[in-house]
Amino acid sequence: MSENKFRSDFPFFKAIDAHTDKENNGLIYLDSAATSHRPFIVLNAMTHFYATQNANPLRGLYSLSERATKAYEDARSALAKFINAADSREIVFTRNSTESLNLVAYTYGMANINAGDEILVSIMEHHSNILPWQMLAKTKGAKLVFLNVDKESGEIPESEFNKITPKTKIVSVTQVSNVLGTTNPVKRIGQIAHKNGAIMIVDGAQSAPHMAVDVQDLDCDFFALSGHKMCGPMGIGALYGKLNLLEEMPPFLRGGEMIEYVTTEDATWAEVPHKFEAGTVSAGDAVGLGAAVRYLQSVGMENIEKNDSYLADILTEGIKRLPHFHIVGGKDGKKRCGIVTFTVDGVHPHDIASLLSDENIAIRAGHHCAQPLQQYLDIPASARASLYLYNTEEEVESLLERLSHIREWSGFKD
């Protein structure tokens, strides 16, 4: 295995590289856009929390509960620093970016969208950044408008931004497409949205793991992310929101911990961000996410972005040399943020994934929770290899070598 100084930080790879994991012996994992692996530091932080600080945060006045509260709030502060939020109160812990986007739709959206208003998303969005706005538009009598992409470059043409008008009240766009790997100019889109009186929401599920994010520089109103795609635990994510907006919004869920005072007839709410964190919080997962962002910072987001771009470029250039292979979206691997999606003439993407699985290579196949994009591109399904900081050039070359046999294994005689 070629040198990768970060690979040994991950128990999963340490086991398979040492051939001590019989189930995954030698597996090449190329599906980090779906979920990443976790380094020792994250798993150890969670174990330490439950072994030494296990108490219900925010509720107890005894020292153990206070320590649990501190660990939970330290994780919030770490995440605020990671994305350069102005105030840690602007970080609301959720289960994932899907819940974060739904939170905005059900709170800000329900309170501010009226009949005749327009909500803008791009055609490349993950279902999680379409379905909440479909619901909101149908419920409030608003119109859902789509920014289309250039089918060759995978980018949104500048002319599409003219769809943002004074009728537009919400613009919600992914920073990085989970299919095309495109990095969208969300800062520029946000500036246009704000000039027209709309708020700007960024789905950062695919960007936060791979590049430095500065929400103050982006000037977005909301930013959603998922911990499990950025070396953190499953079941924990976050919503960044500008403090003044969060303070104005009604709560999303109601019950324990998010209240200030309850009577038999009414209630008042706790201060932001606790107003949005009802019930017993997922403290151990938050601690794990805090450890994950500190780990990513220690690696350096610029190093991660450089590695992912380098490997994606090798893979893209290799696929371009294979007959009957077609890359979905832009052909410049350096711009694909570690995501390379493709089709093969005559071979269904599910069969590609299955054949590669037989070769101990894990990739994704299907519509990638982006069916409107696949329909727009007239591609029912596609295969996707996604790379991260622990992948190596040797793994990419192994994938390319196997891909060169895909049509032969499928019965074609090229």
Side-chain angles (χ1 to χ4, degrees), residues 265-283:
E265 297 179 352
D266 205 354
T268 55
W269 316 125
E271 294 182 352
V272 170
H274 303 295
K275 176 173 69 172
F276 299 105
E277 296 175 357
T280 297
V281 297
S282 189

Side-chain angles (χ1 to χ4, degrees), residues 122-137:
S122 81
I123 197 69
M124 70 176 74
E125 300 305 319
H126 190 283
H127 295 161
S128 295
N129 201 25
I130 295 178
L131 298 181
W133 313 119
Q134 277 186 349
M135 175 281 303
L136 181 60

Side-chain angles (χ1 to χ4, degrees), residues 1-8 307 388-392:
M1 187 67 65
S2 55
E3 183 181 358
N4 181 313
K5 63 181 179 180
F6 306 117
R7 195 173 175 91
S8 62
N307 173 77
Y388 205 20
L389 74 159
Y390 37 62
N391 290 122
T392 67

Side-chain angles (χ1 to χ4, degrees), residues 64-115:
L64 181 60
S65 179
E66 290 172 349
R67 283 160 47 205
T69 300
K70 184 178 185 305
Y72 181 66
E73 294 301 333
D74 283 350
R76 193 191 310 277
S77 296
L79 189 54
K81 182 179 179 181
F82 182 70
I83 62 172
N84 195 33
D87 193 312
S88 64
R89 291 176 296 169
E90 295 179 320
I91 301 297
V92 177
F93 283 121
T94 61
R95 289 187 305 137
N96 41 49
S97 25
T98 299
E99 184 173 287
S100 296
L101 293 165
N102 273 274
L103 190 161
V104 180
Y106 277 95
T107 56
Y108 180 91
M110 285 293 191
N112 291 278
I113 296 299
N114 300 302

